[in-house]
Amino acid sequence: MPFDDPRDFCECLEEQRELIRIPDEVDPAYEVGAYIRKTSDQQGPAILFENVKGHDMCMVGGIFASRRRVLLALEYDQEDIYERFGHGIANPIPNRLVDTGPCKEVILKGDEVDLSRLPIPIYSEQDGGAFVTHGIQISKDPEDGTKNASIYRMHYSGKREFSIHAEKHHHMTHQHAKARARGEPLEVAVAMGCDPVVMLATQVGAPYGVDEIEIAGGLKGKPVDVVKCETVDLEVPATTEIVFEGLLHPERREDHGPFGEYSGYYGEITHSPIMEVTAITHRRDPVYHAGLTGMPMTENHFLKQIPYEVTLYQDLKSKFRGIRKIHYTAAGCIDYMVFIGMEPQRFAGEARSVILAAMATPNRPKFVVVVNDDIDVFDHIQVLWAISTRVRPADDVIIIPNYNTPALDPSFSQHELGSAMGIDATRPFGKPFAEVPAFRGMDRVPDLLAMMRAGQP
């Protein structure tokens, strides 16, 4: 059955030897970040910090620091993702409102609100302070009431305040602009420590007005239980570990950052709106969920990878029936580079049409490489081999100038357009091409690595 509770998922990870416990004292300033960075680099386990310096709260990090744990959270095999994830996106299920839930076990309002009680990490050396990175911001359009759930980073700035950074094209920014035009703050609830499917659903890139928590219901095949907030007119998943409720001010802003971005570089300091926290609710003995981003691969990248792959697959498959596999690669920080596998072309220039169609999607990849389906798009060596041996650069490379590159691309400032490249690394249409050598009897050769590990001669 799908995971409805983040604690159930952590228990599953521990049973699968995908989570380790650290009993020694660990400092939320830099040390937690170092642990998660190391496990991310090694594709290692999630980490439960049982003794966080200066706090009586446990912390978990690295939950999504490998693709295999994302698949485990979804209870999918790799072969299932296009059909099952795609079906969930296309068939959202309305949330189920319940009277109460674990996230209401402790309720703090007014003077009881004190964000300093939380072990908010400082991740990287030049970060501008402590950041909440795995909070899901839930908000709604002040005019039509449609909802949005997404993950934006939050810079801790005081006992009852965060600044929140959302790009100008993000849905919460649009909602905030509507509220400002009315002279009103935007109500926001931040759910931190949700079940893993809700986390993944926030990365789908759904159209404006679509509630991503209902997409999580579609992915699960059943409604997500939600409860009403205490001080704002919003609902949050009932099993959330910690919830912040508050108001995003119409005019108040402050410097936000710097912060180590998903591109692997520091981004610019932004002037971001202030959220005044009006209430904190949480479970008894809550577990703080830390999440690292930075040079790939980190949790930020793995959270986006499968949702991006499935949504692009759906978009392209509706236009080109020969599309077989999509891979947003680690080398491209997920946002910047995608490999597309397709059957041999049906007509001259089909691969070029695929490239242009991929560039026209909302994620706007900066580099698009198309290969035939004899190439494994998840194997960088095979993809680079196809580029090296099947591409005539003067004929098979497309350069698109004046292109709106993905956000936070360090090679272009935020105030100018960039450019993009498409590479057609497929065999040429309707022309003979060199054959790849084949080997008979490969299916009869035993697993030699397994024999070596077993110590067989």
Side-chain angles (χ1 to χ4, degrees), residues 268-418:
E268 298 178 358
I269 295 175
T270 61
H271 206 52
S272 299
I274 296 293
M275 175 183 172
E276 177 188 351
V277 178
T278 54
I280 300 175
T281 72
H282 61 77
R283 302 173 72 146
R284 281 186 290 273
D285 301 320
V287 179
Y288 185 100
H289 280 227
L292 182 69
T293 190
M295 184 176 176
M297 288 285 281
T298 66
E299 294 171 85
N300 177 286
H301 303 101
F302 282 115
L303 270 172
K304 294 191 289 189
Q305 193 175 45
I306 288 177
Y308 278 30
E309 289 170 359
V310 174
T311 52
L312 181 58
Y313 176 86
Q314 287 183 311
D315 189 285
L316 295 180
K317 188 73 172 177
S318 68
K319 304 176 180 73
F320 307 96
R321 66 172 184 263
I323 298 298
R324 285 291 172 262
K325 289 185 179 179
I326 305 284
H327 181 47
Y328 275 90
T329 171
C333 310
I334 304 303
D335 276 45
Y336 302 145
M337 182 179 292
V338 63
F339 299 157
I340 301 171
M342 62 181 292
E343 292 178 351
Q345 299 183 71
R346 297 171 298 163
F347 53 85
E350 184 178 20
R352 182 175 292 250
S353 297
V354 169
I355 289 169
L356 296 174
M359 289 180 175
T361 57
N363 288 340
R364 308 183 311 279
K366 182 179 173 183
F367 297 98
V368 180
V369 181
V370 178
V371 296
N372 287 135
D373 57 4
D374 64 321
I375 300 296
D376 181 359
V377 295
F378 293 91
D379 186 329
H380 287 70
I381 292 177
Q382 289 193 32
V383 174
L384 291 173
W385 174 69
I387 292 172
S388 299
T389 60
R390 301 181 184 182
V391 172
R392 297 189 302 172
D395 302 315
D396 298 325
V397 175
I398 308 169
I399 303 294
I400 306 296
N402 299 318
Y403 182 76
N404 187 6
T405 59
L408 305 174
D409 179 353
S411 64
F412 296 96
S413 80
Q414 295 182 358
H415 308 293
E416 63 182 19
L417 293 173

Side-chain angles (χ1 to χ4, degrees), residues 42-329:
Q42 297 177 338
Q43 296 285 280
I47 304 170
L48 180 63
F49 302 98
E50 297 181 311
N51 184 3
V52 181
K53 183 178 180 180
H55 298 274
D56 58 1
M57 191 178 298
C58 292
M59 182 185 295
V60 67
I63 284 181
F64 294 105
S66 73
R67 187 178 178 102
R68 65 181 178 272
R69 286 203 288 280
V70 174
L71 291 170
L72 184 61
L74 292 165
E75 299 180 294
Y76 292 0
D77 294 324
Q78 173 62 37
E79 294 73 23
D80 296 335
I81 64 169
Y82 300 123
E83 181 178 352
R84 294 182 62 185
F85 202 97
H87 182 270
I89 293 172
N91 297 276
I93 296 176
N95 304 324
R96 179 169 54 201
L97 183 65
V98 296
D99 292 336
T100 190
C103 70
K104 295 281 193 176
E105 289 172 346
V106 177
I107 299 173
L108 305 171
K109 300 180 185 178
D111 291 339
E112 295 178 306
V113 173
D114 185 358
L115 297 172
S116 68
R117 293 178 50 242
L118 303 173
I120 305 174
I122 304 175
Y123 288 99
S124 305
E125 287 187 28
Q126 286 80 41
D127 281 0
F131 286 84
V132 171
T133 52
H134 263 190
I136 297 174
Q137 284 78 20
I138 298 167
S139 53
K140 65 181 179 181
D141 187 296
E143 294 176 357
D144 63 22
T146 57
K147 296 177 182 176
N148 179 68
S150 193
I151 298 176
Y152 308 113
R153 68 171 184 261
M154 303 169 65
H155 190 168
Y156 166 71
S157 56
K159 180 179 177 180
R160 296 181 60 178
E161 291 185 346
F162 291 108
S163 62
I164 301 181
H165 174 72
E167 297 289 336
K168 58 186 178 183
H169 62 279
H170 286 154
H171 294 172
M172 192 179 76
T173 300
H174 185 54
Q175 293 174 343
H176 189 221
K178 283 190 170 186
R180 286 180 61 200
R182 297 157 63 103
E184 301 170 354
L186 181 70
E187 293 186 329
V188 179
V190 182
M192 187 173 64
C194 292
D195 82 61
V197 180
V198 171
M199 294 284 289
L200 289 160
T202 66
Q203 303 304 298
V204 163
Y208 187 84
V210 175
D211 185 351
E212 285 82 358
I213 299 179
E214 293 188 357
I215 290 178
L219 296 173
K220 291 168 173 286
K222 63 178 185 178
V224 175
D225 286 348
V226 297
V227 294
K228 284 189 172 295
C229 291
E230 296 291 317
T231 59
V232 294
D233 185 21
L234 295 165
E235 299 85 38
V236 295
T239 59
T240 303
E241 290 286 344
I242 303 169
V243 176
F244 310 123
E245 303 175 12
L247 304 173
L248 200 61
H249 281 275
E251 302 300 339
R252 283 190 61 204
R253 291 175 177 264
E254 69 178 16
D255 286 347
H256 179 107
F259 181 75
E261 297 287 358
Y262 70 82
S263 63
Y265 301 89
Y266 274 93
E268 298 178 358
I269 295 175
T270 61
H271 206 52
S272 299
I274 296 293
M275 175 183 172
E276 177 188 351
V277 178
T278 54
I280 300 175
T281 72
H282 61 77
R283 302 173 72 146
R284 281 186 290 273
D285 301 320
V287 179
Y288 185 100
H289 280 227
L292 182 69
T293 190
M295 184 176 176
M297 288 285 281
T298 66
E299 294 171 85
N300 177 286
H301 303 101
F302 282 115
L303 270 172
K304 294 191 289 189
Q305 193 175 45
I306 288 177
Y308 278 30
E309 289 170 359
V310 174
T311 52
L312 181 58
Y313 176 86
Q314 287 183 311
D315 189 285
L316 295 180
K317 188 73 172 177
S318 68
K319 304 176 180 73
F320 307 96
R321 66 172 184 263
I323 298 298
R324 285 291 172 262
K325 289 185 179 179
I326 305 284
H327 181 47
Y328 275 90
T329 171

